[in-house]
């Protein structure tokens, strides 16, 4: 066990991996070392680093002010507009399939509409600057209604 600690300490101090990755670094006893095991460990570490880097980039994108471009009152109207389209189908499914399945459908549909609407703030911002708030809000509401109707039609 002491040998493995020394290897891990060397690897961290040499800058090969950061302390967060030492738990994934495994070196089998010398009698069973196979080059495929070592390359697999390296591949796992590389993949983990790339995944962590992607998560950091996506988190920073989610924190951008771009997502805050749409005012809160417009977002509340978008939610009520989307729910107005999805609510009748939810009620029908609750009556036929039960509330649990209907709730699952509603959550999945709302998530899908939300993902689609989440891609629109840059265009909303462009329209806001070029056409004014009333026009940008009307366009955004029309997009919300359209996305909800498409979701409704696709799951029917």
């Amino acid at each position: 066990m002491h040998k493995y600690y020394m290897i891990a300490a060397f690897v961290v101090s040499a800058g090969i991996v950061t302390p967060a990755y030492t738990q994934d670094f495994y070196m089998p006893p010398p009698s069973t070392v196979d080059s495929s095991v070592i390359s697999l460990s390296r591949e796992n570490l590389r993949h983990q680093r790339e995944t962590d880097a992607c998560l950091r980039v996506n988190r920073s994108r989610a924190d951008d002010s771009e997502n805050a471009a749409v005012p809160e009152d417009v977002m509340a109207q978008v939610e009520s507009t989307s729910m107005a389209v999805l609510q009748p189908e939810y009620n029908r499914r609750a009556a036929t399939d039960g509330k649990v399945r209907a709730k699952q459908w509603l959550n999945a549909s709302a998530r899908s509409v939300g993902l689609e609407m989440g891609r629109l703030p840059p265009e909303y911002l462009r329209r806001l600057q070029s056409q004014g708030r009333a026009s940008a809000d009307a366009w955004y509401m029309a997009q919300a209604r359209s996305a909800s109707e498409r979701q409704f039609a696709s799951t029917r």
Side-chain angles (χ1 to χ4, degrees):
M1 185 66 178
H2 183 67
K3 288 186 220 177
Y4 299 120
Y5 174 75
M6 294 302 291
I7 290 172
F10 169 75
V11 168
V12 171
S13 66
I16 297 171
V17 294
T18 60
Y21 296 112
T22 56
Q23 68 214 15
D24 296 331
F25 189 79
Y26 168 71
M27 182 64 81
S31 61
T32 62
V33 172
D34 183 11
S35 62
S36 64
V37 172
I38 293 172
S39 66
L40 184 60
S41 295
R42 287 181 185 153
E43 183 64 26
N44 287 342
L45 288 171
R46 187 188 60 75
H47 176 72
Q48 184 67 36
R49 286 183 187 138
E50 288 174 358
T51 302
D52 288 352
C54 288
L55 288 174
R56 279 192 299 276
V57 168
N58 288 339
R59 262 191 231 117
S60 67
R61 284 184 186 159
D63 294 339
D64 287 348
S65 62
E66 195 174 88
N67 292 334
V70 182
E72 291 292 323
D73 61 324
V74 175
M75 292 303 291
Q77 290 175 343
V78 163
E79 186 177 334
S80 64
T81 299
S82 297
M83 290 308 292
V85 172
L86 298 175
Q87 190 67 39
E89 179 65 9
Y90 168 77
N91 293 339
R92 185 192 71 76
R93 287 176 184 253
T96 59
D97 300 337
K99 284 193 173 191
V100 172
R101 300 228 9 183
K103 189 95 158 156
Q104 290 171 344
W105 173 84
L106 184 63
N107 287 340
S109 297
R111 186 178 309 114
S112 178
V113 170
L115 287 173
E116 190 170 337
M117 295 305 294
R119 291 189 276 274
L120 298 179
E123 178 64 17
Y124 174 84
L125 208 62
R126 189 191 67 74
R127 288 176 183 264
L128 181 67
Q129 292 169 350
S130 65
Q131 300 171 354
R133 177 155 182 192
S135 178
D137 289 355
W139 173 81
Y140 202 68
M141 291 302 183
Q143 294 302 310
R145 178 168 287 287
S146 176
S148 299
E149 289 170 350
R150 277 194 303 274
Q151 180 61 31
F152 172 74
S154 72
T155 58
R156 206 123 213 266

